[in-house]
Amino acid sequence: MRIGFLTIDWIDILDILLVAYMLYQIYKLIQGSIANKIFFGYILIYGVYLVSKALGMEFMSTILGQFMNMGVLALLIIFQQEIRRFLMVLGRSTSFRESALLKRFYSPKVSNENLSTLQSIVEAVKVMSSTYTGALIVIEKEDDLKKFIESGDVLDAEVSKRLLLTIFHKNSPLHDGAVIIKGGRLAAARCMLPVSESGTISPALGFRHRAAFGMSEQTDAAIIVVSEEKAEISFVNHGGIFRNMSVQDLEVKLKDYILKD
């Protein structure tokens, strides 16, 4: 097919569609962050470079060409978190465990151990919400949380309502930071989580919620937040949040999370 002086075939159309889709996915990942402005600035400079090269402006295209070569390394540094998230999304989309076809041939079952852990978490969250006790609970799925566990105090204890209430009591030396649950056991307390820098997070949400978002952006863990000020229960997973949940809704979300294990 010819459009003016251009000759376009189906490979060119496919190429354009794939690039457009890739740019759209990148935009979704960086939307609302500081990296968003940097990305569009880089695209603008690249557009000027292509125009100057097409018009035969050698001096301008040489300068911008050198900038583009150095800019690639700079972009890798600036967008390292976004690139990590993009690769994680890509990896999950090709995972055999997430395959809709394979899910038809097996039905995941919830073990008694998982149900007991879930019930202990729900009961503890119910009490903490009623007493305005702040809490941050992380539940590991596929992604290894070893480095986050090592940032806190390793416990490797059985998950129980009393233990969770004791840890998050305001006078407890372990109440700051997050509790991480791994393999149905309470792996560690007072753990440090990465804080999200996304500009899309509501200003009304505090440090615990930002830490929950940061963790969900880097891992596939499920995070429960209990607000100390509003006694609000939130569930954060894959960069999304469910706010002001009832205990019953939280139990459904947790059971769904474990069923997909």
Side-chain angles (χ1 to χ4, degrees):
M1 180 175 62
R2 292 185 63 85
I3 301 177
F5 60 89
L6 294 176
T7 301
I8 301 175
D9 57 22
W10 67 272
I11 291 293
D12 297 318
I13 295 173
L14 179 62
D15 189 24
I16 293 170
L17 290 175
L18 288 174
V19 171
Y21 178 75
M22 183 183 69
L23 291 175
Y24 173 69
Q25 292 299 324
I26 293 173
Y27 173 73
K28 283 177 61 179
L29 286 173
I30 65 176
Q31 188 177 17
S33 66
I34 297 174
N36 190 15
K37 297 178 181 178
I38 300 172
F39 176 72
F40 281 109
Y42 189 84
I43 291 295
L44 178 62
I45 293 174
Y46 184 64
V48 174
Y49 165 71
L50 291 178
V51 171
S52 62
K53 190 174 181 180
L55 294 176
M57 303 169 66
E58 295 185 8
F59 186 57
M60 176 66 78
S61 60
T62 300
I63 293 175
L64 292 178
Q66 292 297 322
F67 176 81
M68 297 302 297
N69 291 334
M70 293 185 293
V72 172
L73 179 59
L75 284 177
L76 290 175
I77 297 172
I78 294 170
F79 293 106
Q80 56 180 318
Q81 292 297 336
E82 284 73 17
I83 292 171
R84 174 186 169 88
R85 285 163 56 192
F86 176 76
L87 293 175
M88 284 177 62
V89 169
L90 185 63
R92 288 181 189 135
S93 67
T94 56
S95 172
F96 286 106
R97 300 183 68 171
E98 296 297 325
S99 170
L101 180 63
L102 291 179
K103 285 180 180 179
R104 295 184 180 183
F105 295 95
Y106 73 91
S107 177
K109 296 181 180 180
V110 182
S111 67
N112 291 331
E113 181 184 0
N114 282 335
L115 283 175
S116 175
T117 299
L118 181 152
Q119 200 60 40
S120 298
I121 294 171
V122 171
E123 289 175 0
V125 168
K126 181 179 180 180
V127 173
M128 289 187 284
S129 176
S130 65
T131 56
Y132 286 78
T133 302
L136 187 57
I137 302 171
V138 179
I139 306 172
E140 184 186 78
K141 195 172 185 180
E142 291 184 24
D143 293 345
D144 189 9
L145 306 183
K146 182 179 178 181
K147 68 176 182 179
F148 301 107
I149 292 172
E150 292 175 346
S151 71
D153 295 326
V154 178
L155 300 177
D156 189 25
E158 182 180 343
V159 178
S160 69
K161 171 184 171 182
R162 288 185 179 181
L163 180 57
L164 288 170
L165 292 177
T166 300
I167 288 173
F168 287 112
H169 189 274
K170 64 180 181 180
N171 294 326
S172 168
L174 298 176
H175 81 280
D176 284 328
V179 155
I180 296 180
I181 295 172
K182 176 185 176 73
R185 294 183 64 79
L186 201 156
R190 209 168 62 87
C191 300
M192 300 298 293
L193 305 185
V195 179
S196 176
E197 297 180 359
S198 174
T200 60
I201 300 175
S202 170
L205 299 179
F207 179 79
R208 284 191 180 93
H209 288 88
R210 286 194 168 273
F213 269 107
M215 193 67 168
S216 72
E217 289 168 355
Q218 296 191 21
T219 72
D220 64 349
I223 306 99
I224 302 167
V225 184
V226 181
S227 171
E228 191 172 351
E229 293 77 19
K230 301 179 181 179
E232 181 181 283
I233 301 171
S234 299
F235 182 88
V236 183
N237 191 221
H238 294 310
I241 184 170
F242 297 87
R243 295 182 59 187
N244 201 19
M245 299 181 71
S246 66
V247 175
Q248 292 75 21
D249 290 339
L250 175 64
E251 186 171 3
V252 171
K253 280 289 179 187
L254 284 176
K255 189 170 289 187
D256 183 56
Y257 173 81
I258 292 175
L259 273 169
K260 289 181 178 180
D261 204 352

